[in-house]
Every structure is written in C-alpha cells, then in structure tokens.
Amino acid sequence: MTEITLYNTAKRAKERFVPIDPDNVRMYVCGPTVYDRAHIGNARPVIVFDTLFRLLRHVYGADHVTYVRNFTDVDDKINARAAESGRSIRKITDETTAWYLEDMAALGALEPSAMPRATEWIDQMVAMTAALIEKGHAYEAEGHVLFRVRSYAEYGALSGRSVDDMIAGARVEVAPYKEDPLDFVLWKPSDDATPGWDSPWGRGRPGWHIECSAMAYELLGGAFDIHGGGNDLTFPHHENEIAQSRCMGHGFANVWMHNEMLQVEGKKMSKSLGNFFTVRDLLDQGVPGEVIRFVFLSTHYRKPMDWTAEKAQAAREELAKWRAQTEDVAPGVIDLRVLEALADDLNTHGAITALRELFKEKNFASLKASASLVGLLTLELSWDYPKRHVVEVDSGSYSLTGHNMFSQRLTASDPEMLNSIRNKIGFLLKEREKARTAKNFARADALRDGFADAGVVVKDTPEGAEWELAPDFDPTKLEALK
Ligand code: AMP
Ligand code: ZN
C-alpha cells in the first residue's frame, strides 16, 4: 500500500499517516459561512482537501473514506446580511449554499460524504455545552455560556502560543460577564429579531466553535484521522475546537492540516484594493474551472499562493495541449511519480511536474489517468459546453440555459438576476434529486409541476438534468417555489 506522509500542524513535523481504521478513514474540514459568494481564497481549502480526499480514496478505496465539510448557517454576518437586504436568513443561506456547491463543482471538487448544516445540529451543540458545564469546563453568565479556557491545561498547543501571549495579543474579546478575557462563547442569547433556539440558558444560539466539535463527534466519532482548514483558523477556531472536544473526553483529530493563504498579484486580497473576486467572477469571465484548479495545484498547499492572470493564461495553454492529446485516449495506469509526489504531504507541485514529464514522453494514457487523481482532465471539467443554447425572453432581460450544474454560461443584461435564477433552479434540481433518492415522489412531482408552472423546461438526460427557460418563464413563480 502507498505510504502517505502528512505535515501535522500539531506536531510541527511531517509524519507517516496511519489511519485509526483503514476501512473508514475520516476527515473533517471547516466549511464556509454562507452569506455571500465564495471568493477565490475560499476555494483553496476546497481544492487542497478535495485532492487529499481523492488520494485517500485511491489508496484506501472509494468506499473507505468519509469526508465531512460543514456549512455554517448561523452567524452574525448572516444576520447582518439579512437585516441590510431585507431578505430572510433561510433564503440567504439556501441560496449561498447552492452557489457554493455549484462553484466548487465547477472546480472539479467532489462532494464530501456529508455536508451538515449547523442549524440542523443545534440539539447536539446544546447537549455538548451542557456536558461541558457539568464537567466544570464551562459556566453560564448573563444568558451566555462560556468555555473556561484555563480549565484546559493544553490550550494553545496547536498554534504554539502560551495563554499569556494570547492575552497580550489582545485578539480576545473582553466582556464584563467573563471570568477571564480568554474565555470564549459556547452559547449566546438571541433577541426577537435574531434566530434562536430554546436551551437551558434561555433562547439563544450557539457560538461558532462548538458547531464543529459537535458535528465532527456526531458524524465521525470521538476520534478521527484528519482535520483541515485554512491556517487563519488555527487560532482561535481550531484551538477552541480542540479544547471543547478534549474536555469532553474525545480524542478528536490526530492530524491537523492547514493550507496557507491565497493572494492576488502579490497582494492580500481585499475589497479596498480592488483585487477581490469570487470564483463565479472568474468562471463568468470564461476562465475554465479546470484552469483555476491547475493554477492552485501548482503551488504546494503550505506555501502562500499568488493568483495572477499570467499564471492562468499559462495554465490554460498547457491544459489545452494536454486535453487535445488525451481527448480520445482511454486512461492507462497511474504513474508512480505522480502518486509518490501526492503521497509526500500532498506535493501537488511535484505531481504537476510529473504530469508534464508524461506529456513530454507522449504517454497520454497514463497522463489522463494520473491527472484524474488530482482532479484534472476529467469528464466533468470539459471546456466545451455542447448543450449550450440561449433563449431570449422579454427582449433580452433573461437569456440563459443550463446543463448539468457545471457548464452553465450566461449572457445577460442583469447578471445578478440570472445568477439567482440559475442557482435557484440548480438548488431545486438537487432537491428533486434528493426527493427521488428518498422515494418521496410526492415532493419530486410537486417540484416537476412547479417548474412547469414557472416556465422552466427540465429534460432529464443521461448526463444529468438540462433546463431552459420557456417564453412564458415567470421569475416570481420560480422564486416562490420551495
Ligand atoms: P470562511 O467562510 O471565512 O470561514 O472561510 C472558509 C475557508 O476559507 C476557511 O477554511 C478559511 O481558512 C479559508 N480562507 C479564507 N480566506 C482565504 C485565503 N485568502 N486563502 C486561502 N484560504 C482562505
Ligand atoms: Zn471548524
């Protein structure tokens, strides 16, 4: 069996990866807070851990890996977005969740085995919070429940900080009801305008960190193999997750992996510098998802990565050559150089160098097979959109068509509106799929009738659902469809 080594943040060293149970290798990755389109930085952990997921599936078998990535759908940023836009929280989180899945699929990311939404696991968070109070690791104060950081002696071990440094760093919120400024929130009170759930401490909502501890425990068990996320999460988020879970008596994650940050043209990405953009912006500009993925994989995940237009252009040219040579070739065997590079702490840069060698050697069958191990040259990522046709309605105010969820291109006067139409349809198609899988035919039929009524023509093809807008398309009816 291929030996995998991974850099473990907790040990500050590379170590041989030995799963707790090779029949069920388990990984948890912190997912997005859903209130806005994913920016390209958010795509980095997705691509990094998707590549690891693919490697683990290859080594241990596709049915022997469980990958959980959550959606944070309760958060003050979401509440603020709802308040400023006048839209409901559920609408915002549903829409953003559908966007996220669609955009990440366009980058060739496989769906994780489970994608829990925080709001569906509140009871488990309440139970864990209550247990931490019971054990003396947390306390209630003015409707809040706080984790007592000094009750956990190893706090700070992951990020290598001492408790006193953290206080000096002043990244902690001081509040009168805290015993210690380091203590962090497990539960906080909600007013009538804020989402809340009943709890022993009154109506309120969970803190962010308890979410991951509770969902990881429920879906992966007390001890699991790998926990991942961007390195901005190491402190405080992951440090807090560890404190909560260890104080519950859970072993929690063995290996901690963190990707470095992404920058744009040498600068930190920020709205004020005008270099902030989303994955969807790039896709809409015609940058294929596969090109984005290739650029990302060219830099090792533990190095800062720079997104530049020049790199994207070079990647596009190189991939176009690879595609041209492999299109009609059956995949051969996976090249050992590619596999060994990946197994060495996910050296995707080395893997791409090896793919380049295969191209030079004209070993296109192996190139095709090996590239798919890192999610390149796959069918889903096809650059041409053969089923594309544009429907003009109402003198051009809507003109779009969709195929599969991945390959939708838009030409429109109002891209915001088209985006929301496309995503709503994508979301409902997924719902229909789920209903069918669950044999809930009443729900599936209701969705079919709802589509017809709104003027969305859906055709099922072997490659997935295709849809287009009929001349009588009615966006209000589509919006109302649930
Ligand atoms: P958020 O929705 O802000 O919690 O972020 C979701 C994920 O994106 C987390 O794993 C972050 O660490 C990661 N992330 C955010 N910004 C960047 C960036 N510029 N580069 C790489 N990863 C990032
Ligand atoms: Zn988390």
Side-chain angles (χ1 to χ4, degrees), residues 70-141:
N70 67 299
F71 283 110
T72 297
D73 62 348
V74 46
D75 184 275
D76 289 345
K77 289 193 277 280
I78 305 174
N79 302 340
R81 182 57 57 95
E84 78 204 15
S85 67
R87 302 179 67 220
S88 79
I89 286 175
R90 185 73 197 200
K91 259 200 180 148
I92 293 173
T93 58
D94 279 355
E95 176 181 77
T96 316
T97 300
W99 284 346
Y100 186 83
L101 292 175
E102 192 193 23
D103 294 349
M104 298 310 131
L107 303 177
L110 302 172
E111 283 201 351
S113 329
M115 294 186 282
R117 292 178 74 124
T119 51
E120 288 169 8
W121 298 87
I122 302 285
D123 289 351
Q124 290 80 355
M125 297 175 208
V126 167
M128 192 174 271
T129 302
L132 287 168
I133 296 178
E134 182 97 342
K135 291 170 193 289
H137 291 296
Y139 57 95
E140 184 186 359

Side-chain angles (χ1 to χ4, degrees), residues 29-35 39-46 49 72 77 100 208 228-233 238 259-263 268-269 296 305:
V29 174
C30 297
T33 305
V34 278
Y35 64 101
H39 61 64
I40 61 160
N42 298 136
R44 194 166 191 201
V46 175
F49 293 102
T72 297
K77 289 193 277 280
Y100 186 83
W208 171 35
N231 70 354
D232 56 330
L233 301 184
H238 289 164
N259 63 270
E260 253 291 348
M261 292 291 103
L262 174 143
Q263 307 188 318
K268 186 175 183 303
M269 187 169 45
F296 276 51
M305 164 189 168

Side-chain angles (χ1 to χ4, degrees), residues 17-26 60 64-65 223-225 254:
F17 175 63
V18 184
I20 299 168
D21 173 6
D23 282 335
N24 185 17
V25 180
R26 284 158 291 162
Y60 295 95
H64 300 284
V65 184
F224 55 96
D225 299 297
N254 281 348

Side-chain angles (χ1 to χ4, degrees), residues 28-31 70 208-209 211-213 227-228 233 237-238 241:
Y28 186 96
V29 174
C30 297
N70 67 299
W208 171 35
H209 318 297
E211 224 184 78
C212 292
S213 283
H227 192 312
L233 301 184
H237 183 53
H238 289 164
E241 285 185 23

Side-chain angles (χ1 to χ4, degrees), residues 140-249:
E140 184 186 359
E142 296 179 23
H144 294 69
V145 178
L146 293 135
F147 186 90
R148 190 175 273 130
V149 166
R150 289 192 194 263
S151 75
Y152 177 58
E154 286 171 66
Y155 192 81
L158 176 72
S159 48
R161 294 162 194 246
S162 76
V163 168
D164 296 320
D165 285 351
M166 288 181 228
I167 295 180
R171 288 185 62 182
V172 289
E173 191 194 347
V174 183
Y177 49 81
K178 287 185 178 182
E179 285 177 4
D180 188 300
L182 275 181
D183 295 349
F184 59 87
V185 163
L186 300 177
W187 188 263
K188 57 186 162 187
S190 292
D191 61 23
D192 289 343
T194 318
W197 291 262
D198 289 333
S199 81
W201 321 288
R203 186 173 169 279
R205 58 196 192 281
W208 171 35
H209 318 297
I210 194 73
E211 224 184 78
C212 292
S213 283
M215 293 188 294
Y217 176 66
E218 295 297 329
L219 293 163
L220 296 175
F224 55 96
D225 299 297
I226 300 168
H227 192 312
N231 70 354
D232 56 330
L233 301 184
T234 314
F235 176 80
H237 183 53
H238 289 164
E239 208 71 77
N240 293 353
E241 285 185 23
I242 293 174
Q244 295 161 163
S245 293
R246 288 274 167 84
C247 289
M248 286 297 296

